[in-house]
Amino acid sequence: MALDRSTIWPYDEDGEPRQFYYSRYGHPAGAEAEARLGELDGGTALLYPSGSAATTALALSLLEPGDTIALAAGAYFGTGVTFGVLEKWGIAYVEFDQTGPPPDGVQLVWLEAPSNPFLTMPDLEAAAAHPAPVVVDSTVATPVHLRPLERGADFVLHSATKYLAGHDDALLGVVVARDPAAADALRAFRTRTGIVAAADPAWLLLRGLKTLELRVHRQTHSAALVAERLAAHPAVLTVRYPGFSGLISFDVADAETARRVETSTRLIVNATSLGGVTSVMESRHRWEGDRVPTGLLRLSIGLEDPDALWADLAQALE
Ligand code: PLP
């Protein structure tokens, strides 16, 4: 589809609004992306300007002052930071081990499949048995590997900045709701608060989605190979790989070694984020502090030749 950047569209001959009339309410690229994303996760999708915006909008629209979120320990550190920001509006959060049941007395359960960067998988069955609504941040799994709405989740969230858009050139988030009425409530909240995605990144997302399945399968295949070789390398203490997706984390001896390794690669770019066509690696201690081991490196596998990636890593680990 052609990219339409309009913010307004003319009313019809009778002076009535057509499908699109003002872009805060909706625009063609966003609506098309939402249709595709809804199919992929099996629900009703809503686009947001970033994964963090999707997190904020979902939490604010579902919760009230006095409510508490049970957040998977070891999930994307920024999600906890965002919830911390919401504390002054009376929304609290507690962390729990997502491989077991969520705690009682919370109004929202927030899982991550698999968690970034610890790569644990949630117990979806135990969470679905909890009375509170369940959100699964499925950014790392993608709908290619997991459809949480079919496993009892109420909402799926993605940082579409990562695998869904896939080329490190679009910042976006998405929430997919199982219940169409819940999606309507989120849409009304989004329109009123103005937390809306622009047309340009939505169009890039549409283009990225055309190759999602191909990319994720290739990234998974290469990551499995690299994870296996990392596990056999004497300089590597621990490898975390869930058996699917393109994301690996592994530990070297200490912060100094991690810094040397991350700055010694030639093909793998020393940069943050994950899920793009280019492989990136970084030490996470710089961002996350003592919640991660000092020697933890997070490696997002792209579309390069896996043997060339391994050769690059091997020389950096020497
Ligand atoms: N969820 C996960 C699992 C992430 O890795 C990230 C970003 O790194 C986010 C959410 C936040 O997404 P964004 O950077 O698009 O705001």
Side-chain angles (χ1 to χ4, degrees):
M1 79 187 287
L3 173 59
D4 182 348
R5 291 194 177 92
S6 309
T7 55
I8 56 167
W9 291 268
Y11 298 142
D12 69 14
E13 305 74 35
D14 301 322
E16 291 299 322
R18 299 175 205 259
Q19 181 186 1
F20 301 112
Y21 45 97
Y22 186 57
S23 62
R24 180 158 44 77
Y25 288 77
H27 49 74
E32 186 64 19
E34 287 172 348
R36 297 279 85 80
L37 294 163
E39 283 167 18
L40 284 170
D41 262 313
T44 307
L46 289 148
L47 212 53
Y48 292 92
S50 67
S52 307
T55 298
T56 305
L58 187 55
L60 286 181
S61 122
L62 293 179
L63 299 172
E64 293 175 3
D67 285 349
T68 301
I69 307 165
L71 171 65
Y76 169 57
F77 89 107
T79 301
V81 175
T82 299
F83 292 157
V85 169
L86 299 184
E87 266 172 0
K88 75 174 180 186
W89 284 281
I91 296 168
Y93 77 100
V94 292
E95 293 193 326
F96 77 104
D97 175 1
Q98 69 168 349
T99 63
D104 294 335
V106 298
Q107 286 68 45
L108 186 63
V109 175
W110 199 285
L111 311 173
E112 201 167 281
S115 64
N116 162 20
F118 291 101
L119 298 166
T120 66
M121 280 299 281
D123 183 340
L124 291 170
E125 220 170 285
H130 193 282
V134 175
V135 179
V136 177
D137 181 334
S138 200
T139 298
V140 176
T142 79
V144 175
H145 288 302
L146 182 72
R147 285 163 53 103
L149 300 184
E150 289 174 356
R151 307 270 303 275
D154 299 285
F155 300 94
V156 180
L157 180 142
H158 299 274
S159 165
T161 314
K162 315 296 198 242
Y163 291 99
L164 298 183
H167 295 71
D168 298 316
D169 54 10
L171 191 71
L172 282 170
V174 59
V175 171
V176 189
R178 185 150 54 89
D179 175 9
D184 286 346
L186 281 173
R187 189 177 295 106
F189 186 86
R190 182 180 69 174
T191 302
R192 287 295 143 223
T193 55
I195 309 176
V196 296
D200 283 81
W203 187 90
L204 288 167
L205 170 61
L206 273 172
R207 193 171 61 178
L209 287 177
K210 293 181 188 194
T211 55
L212 174 68
E213 193 176 6
L214 273 175
R215 284 186 283 107
V216 168
H217 283 311
R218 160 85 174 189
Q219 284 161 320
T220 294
H221 177 263
S222 301
L225 203 137
V226 168
E228 197 181 306
R229 292 180 186 175
L230 278 171
H233 196 285
V236 175
L237 309 181
T238 312
V239 178
R240 300 173 200 84
Y241 183 61
F244 63 92
S245 107
L247 196 65
I248 301 169
S249 75
F250 63 98
D251 296 350
V252 291
D254 48 34
E256 200 185 312
T257 313
R259 180 54 61 102
R260 213 165 45 237
V261 173
E262 69 173 333
T263 55
S264 300
T265 55
R266 296 166 191 154
L267 181 59
I268 300 167
V269 179
N270 186 202
T272 194
S273 201
L274 58 105
V277 294
T278 303
S279 295
V280 295
M281 183 168 73
E282 68 165 334
S283 155
R284 289 301 296 173
H285 192 259
R286 87 177 77 218
W287 299 115
E288 303 190 35
D290 290 338
R291 82 196 281 269
V292 301
T294 54
L296 187 146
L297 289 159
R298 190 183 69 190
L299 170 61
S300 172
I301 297 287
L303 297 184
E304 304 88 343
D305 175 73
D307 287 322
L309 287 174
W310 174 249
D312 191 28
L313 269 178
Q315 67 79 27
L317 285 164
E318 285 314 313

